[in-house]
Amino acid sequence: MTFDRKIEDAGLERGVSRLTPERIENTLKQVIEGEAGAKLKLYAETCMRCGMCSEACHYYMSHEGDPSYSPAGKVHQTLGKILRKNYKVTADEIYEMAQIAYTECNLCRRCVHFCPLGIDTGYIMSMVRRMCHKLGVTPQYIQDTAHSHSATMNQMWLKDDEWPDTLQWQEDEARDEMPNLRIPLDKEGAEIYYSVIAPEPKFRTQLIYQAAYIFNEAGVDFTMPTEPGWDNSDMCMFTGDFEMMGRLKKRHFESALDLKVKRIVMGECGHAFRSIYDQGNRWDAWEMYPIEVVHSVEFFWELFEAGKIKLREKFKEPITVHDPCNIIRGRGLMEQSRKLAHALCENVVEMTPNLEHNYCCAAGGGVINCGPPFKNVRMKGNKIKAEQLKATGVNTILAPCHNCHGGLEDLNHYYELGMDIKFFGDLIYELMEKPE
């Protein structure tokens, strides 16, 4: 396969300019033989190149069956090449591998469902990213976000006083509607610790307002933390900086443990949820997370089941449900997601395919965070998702994930779909009974 789609990126260019043959060989060998052990090689050696994974990939489907975009094709151009050449690959080849791993694979793991051997291409690509990170070859935009996390413990570079100020501002706003509403800060012994990603205070403060309103109306005993560690997002997990990922997750868990809360309830974000309950805790050598972690889809359904949320009316227009990779394929929240959607909406129109076979939004896996140089890669690489959405014939999408919102909004504009995108929190707040 010939790599003929190189895109210029300052971070990748700068990174490869510093490489030497010795550094490349030693680093690749250290990761594959030292960190990954037998698992990575086993996947590479057992792949039969049968092609059954190909139609699982939105990039392959959107590029008219170009084999270089298939999961097996991407492995062939990255890990396969490293092993075939016995770690002696060039700096230009590292650039190509980084572009493929960071921007042409969302780590959505849809391909695992189609592989007869259960090969996890998402894991392979994440380890290729790990090698690129250790070589210093990462796209500029996502590396900037990782640097922000390293410096401030949140991805948006919010100063320590800006976060509690935002929470107090949202409390004041919400009290105009519910005078007794509170957003308790650093409350010790609360039932739940509600955590969000840093883009919420930066760009989507209404989600904090809505969650506070829902929790107060439902009588939830909750708190929100003010100390560094409050941001549950994790681009470091996607750059391959697992050391920083572990530091972020350790601080997040510690802040919850310090407050002696019962559970962490996470806002509507997929990748952050995965990093807390599945990735960071294991890197930190916890056999299981030290405190229960619940996604807001699960928690909202619990509130409905307990009769703590009552609706004034249901959403009447037809609506379709997008299934975020990290809470559906990664956690299996299909049942809770659908029960909640049907509780809120009169007419849920399913996509084809749906549930664990739904196509990715093409924003996850850190791909949207690789920035403007690669936006067209995402748009052209997910034409199949735009076609899937259009085929539903509806005007509204329900998507419980921040990155999914970003990806679907971009597809909406690029392919002129004319669709509105909502979180579960948007619908619950809009439809719930409210005091006079």
Side-chain angles (χ1 to χ4, degrees):
M1 298 178 183
T2 302
F3 192 79
D4 57 0
R5 52 182 183 267
K6 179 179 177 180
I7 293 174
E8 291 186 5
D9 178 87
L12 298 181
E13 294 283 2
R14 183 171 56 251
V16 296
S17 72
R18 298 168 177 170
L19 298 181
T20 63
E22 294 76 19
R23 183 182 174 196
I24 293 172
E25 181 177 354
N26 291 337
T27 302
L28 299 182
K29 186 176 293 186
Q30 185 271 321
V31 173
I32 293 175
E33 297 184 6
E35 290 188 22
K39 184 177 179 180
L40 202 57
K41 283 187 177 181
L42 181 65
Y43 279 151
E45 292 169 3
T46 55
C47 177
M48 302 180 296
R49 310 291 189 270
C50 67
M52 290 186 69
C53 61
S54 297
E55 293 188 5
C57 182
H58 51 273
Y59 288 98
Y60 174 89
M61 295 295 288
S62 301
H63 284 282
E64 300 178 352
D66 183 339
S68 66
Y69 285 100
S70 71
K74 285 179 267 202
V75 173
H76 182 77
Q77 296 168 90
T78 56
L79 177 63
K81 181 177 285 187
I82 292 169
L83 295 176
R84 288 193 303 275
K85 298 186 75 169
N86 195 27
Y87 307 109
K88 294 177 173 60
V89 296
T90 66
D92 286 343
E93 288 171 325
I94 292 295
Y95 191 112
E96 294 168 7
M97 292 178 196
Q99 183 173 316
I100 291 168
Y102 284 110
T103 73
E104 296 177 11
C105 176
N106 290 98
L107 313 182
C108 77
R109 290 184 160 99
R110 189 172 188 263
C111 51
V112 179
H113 290 264
F114 292 75
C115 177
L117 300 175
I119 293 171
D120 188 345
T121 306
Y123 169 75
I124 295 172
M125 289 297 111
S126 70
M127 291 308 292
V128 173
R129 293 184 184 191
R130 172 68 170 164
M131 294 178 233
C132 291
H133 159 73
K134 290 180 78 72
L135 287 168
V137 183
T138 54
Q140 180 69 49
Y141 279 79
I142 194 170
Q143 187 58 55
D144 284 348
T145 305
H147 282 155
S148 176
H149 252 141
S150 298
T152 67
M153 296 297 284
N154 72 81
Q155 67 159 289
M156 302 308 301
W157 212 275
L158 287 177
K159 296 177 182 176
D160 287 353
D161 60 341
E162 290 178 320
W163 166 241
D165 282 354
T166 300
L167 295 179
Q168 290 170 354
W169 161 46
Q170 287 307 297
E171 180 183 83
D172 287 342
E173 290 281 310
R175 287 172 69 180
D176 289 340
E177 187 176 3
M178 184 187 286
N180 294 325
L181 182 144
R182 294 291 183 272
I183 299 179
L185 304 183
D186 298 327
K187 178 185 175 183
E188 193 170 299
E191 187 70 27
I192 75 162
Y193 167 113
Y194 185 61
S195 73
V196 301
I197 66 172
E200 285 201 16
K202 200 76 171 179
F203 303 118
R204 296 185 190 269
T205 49
Q206 83 279 2
L207 296 178
I208 298 172
Y209 177 113
Q210 289 170 182
Y213 193 100
I214 293 166
F215 293 163
N216 275 266
E217 181 63 18
V220 175
D221 177 21
F222 79 105
T223 189
M224 296 187 74
T226 62
E227 294 298 313
W230 58 265
D231 175 14
N232 61 31
S233 64
D234 202 339
M235 285 304 113
C236 299
M237 175 176 69
F238 291 141
T239 63
D241 187 353
F242 297 160
E243 291 81 6
M244 187 61 208
M245 172 191 73
R247 187 176 152 220
L248 292 171
K249 300 308 100 168
K250 188 171 185 288
R251 186 68 197 94
H252 193 72
F253 277 121
E254 285 176 345
S255 66
L257 291 167
D258 287 345
L259 292 174
K260 300 179 177 64
V261 298
K262 306 294 190 301
R263 296 194 289 175
I264 296 173
V265 173
M266 301 184 66
E268 294 182 63
C269 180
H271 92 267
F273 183 64
R274 185 173 199 133
S275 78
I276 294 284
Y277 92 89
D278 183 50
Q279 297 283 102
N281 60 294
R282 288 189 285 119
W283 181 263
D284 284 326
W286 284 311
E287 183 179 355
M288 198 63 174
Y289 34 75
I291 185 169
E292 185 183 1
V293 181
V294 179
H295 190 270
S296 51
V297 166
E298 297 174 86
F299 190 67
F300 286 148
W301 177 243
E302 281 182 24
L303 295 179
F304 265 95
E305 277 197 306
K308 294 182 178 180
I309 294 179
K310 293 181 171 58
L311 300 184
R312 183 184 71 258
E313 60 179 345
K314 282 192 170 187
F315 189 77
K316 293 180 172 56
E317 299 298 318
I319 191 169
T320 192
V321 183
H322 169 73
D323 296 287
C325 305
N326 287 307
I327 71 167
I328 301 299
R329 279 188 284 273
R331 174 76 166 198
L333 299 184
M334 292 83 76
E335 183 179 356
Q336 293 92 329
S337 174
R338 286 315 184 278
K339 283 181 177 178
L340 191 54
H342 284 279
L344 292 167
C345 308
E346 288 186 355
N347 186 5
V348 177
V349 179
E350 292 288 357
M351 296 185 208
T352 304
N354 62 3
L355 303 171
E356 69 269 27
H357 293 114
N358 207 328
Y359 285 111
C360 177
C361 65
V367 174
I368 193 171
N369 299 86
C370 290
F374 302 101
K375 184 174 181 179
N376 281 338
V377 174
R378 288 191 293 114
M379 296 301 94
K380 293 175 182 177
N382 212 12
K383 182 176 69 173
I384 187 70
K385 183 68 179 183
E387 292 170 352
Q388 183 195 36
L389 290 167
K390 192 172 183 178
T392 63
V394 307
N395 296 320
T396 310
I397 310 167
L398 183 52
C401 172
H402 277 266
N403 275 349
C404 293
H405 270 248
L408 295 174
E409 284 165 2
D410 286 342
L411 287 174
N412 190 27
H413 293 302
Y414 189 86
Y415 290 100
E416 299 179 344
L417 301 176
M419 302 179 84
D420 187 27
I421 308 163
K422 292 182 179 291
F423 290 94
F424 273 112
D426 291 328
L427 281 182
I428 294 170
Y429 171 76
E430 179 183 331
L431 302 168
M432 67 190 294
E433 288 183 357
K434 295 178 181 175
E436 295 297 330

